[in-house]
Amino acid sequence: MGNEKVAKLLRKIHSSRPLLMMLRRLGKTPIRPANLLHSLQEEIDRELEALPAIRKAFRFLEKELPNVQNDIQVVCHCDVNHNNWLLSENNQLYLIDWDGAIIGDPAIDLGTMLYSYIPIDEWEDWIRLYGTELNDDLRLRMKWYFIVQLMFSIQWNRKKERYREMNKDLKHLLKIIENS
């Protein structure tokens, strides 16, 4: 996932006006952090809400909400996990499974990519391959969106009774929150 091709394809997707126009024609509107936080607050069940990691995460999200506003709105895939990247026999890279695509902050995809697959000491190089600079603002937005996605994943795993995955995500969440 640290491959230059991955960074460049993600940048191409985020820069695509035709993809953005297509999502708009489909009725998609930009996802705003406050709306995302509200949806998460509605989704998380009471038992999970009582867990220290979840409480700490909500405090972080609420505290940083004013600081993660961003006017750049692009097509975000929202599921950039390794199973959705395919390399063809002729070395062409594809990103598949577009069901969850949205219009939003590119930090949504970048956060998932970096927190999930790229060692932290390689983040600056990877982001440079993507085509931008890693600054404090981008770091905060990536962290904020990744925490949101992780919390939705924790809730989903709980509903599916996938407790092993849920507990793994809870440990990951706590690690990220405590490294603030």
Side-chain angles (χ1 to χ4, degrees):
M1 297 300 282
N3 187 315
E4 182 176 355
K5 285 184 176 191
V6 172
K8 290 188 184 268
L9 180 55
L10 196 56
R11 177 58 174 212
K12 185 176 181 180
I13 290 165
H14 288 167
S15 301
S16 174
R17 296 287 300 157
L19 274 177
L20 184 60
M21 294 291 106
M22 180 186 71
L23 284 185
R24 286 190 172 141
R25 282 193 304 274
L26 291 171
K28 300 268 184 171
T29 57
I31 298 293
R32 301 289 177 205
N35 297 356
L36 203 51
L37 180 56
H38 178 73
S39 295
L40 182 61
Q41 289 166 329
E42 296 281 312
E43 179 80 16
I44 295 288
D45 64 39
R46 297 302 157 229
E47 291 82 18
L48 281 178
E49 206 171 79
L51 297 175
I54 298 294
R55 287 196 317 267
K56 286 180 182 180
F58 271 125
R59 281 193 301 273
F60 170 83
L61 295 173
E62 290 163 357
K63 176 182 160 239
E64 296 298 343
L65 181 62
N67 303 316
V68 295
Q69 307 307 315
N70 184 35
D71 292 332
I72 298 170
Q73 300 292 307
V74 302
V75 171
C76 294
H77 183 273
C78 291
D79 192 8
V80 292
N81 80 73
H82 67 278
N83 294 315
N84 288 333
W85 295 90
L86 298 178
L87 189 61
S88 71
E89 289 179 10
N90 65 349
N91 217 25
Q92 182 67 38
L93 185 65
Y94 297 95
L95 182 56
I96 62 168
D97 188 7
W98 285 84
D99 293 348
I102 62 163
I103 300 172
D105 186 333
I108 295 169
D109 287 341
L110 293 172
T112 300
M113 183 64 64
L114 270 62
Y115 276 99
S116 300
Y117 301 107
I118 310 299
I120 197 163
D121 62 329
E122 296 176 21
W123 283 17
E124 282 190 47
D125 292 336
W126 197 95
I127 287 290
R128 206 169 295 118
L129 290 173
Y130 169 82
T132 195
E133 293 298 317
L134 183 59
N135 56 35
D136 290 341
D137 178 61
L138 180 56
R139 278 184 194 274
L140 175 62
R141 292 181 1 250
M142 289 189 313
K143 180 177 183 175
W144 196 93
Y145 284 110
F146 186 66
I147 287 170
V148 168
Q149 289 180 316
L150 205 47
M151 291 173 72
F152 275 121
S153 176
I154 290 165
Q155 179 62 47
W156 186 84
N157 282 320
R158 179 175 168 79
K159 281 185 181 176
K160 298 291 181 185
E161 297 181 356
R162 297 174 58 178
Y163 299 115
R164 185 171 163 203
E165 291 87 351
M166 181 190 84
N167 287 326
K168 181 180 164 200
D169 285 347
L170 280 165
K171 286 179 186 173
H172 195 185
L173 177 65
L174 196 54
K175 181 180 175 188
I176 292 167
I177 291 296
E178 289 177 347
N179 289 332
S180 294

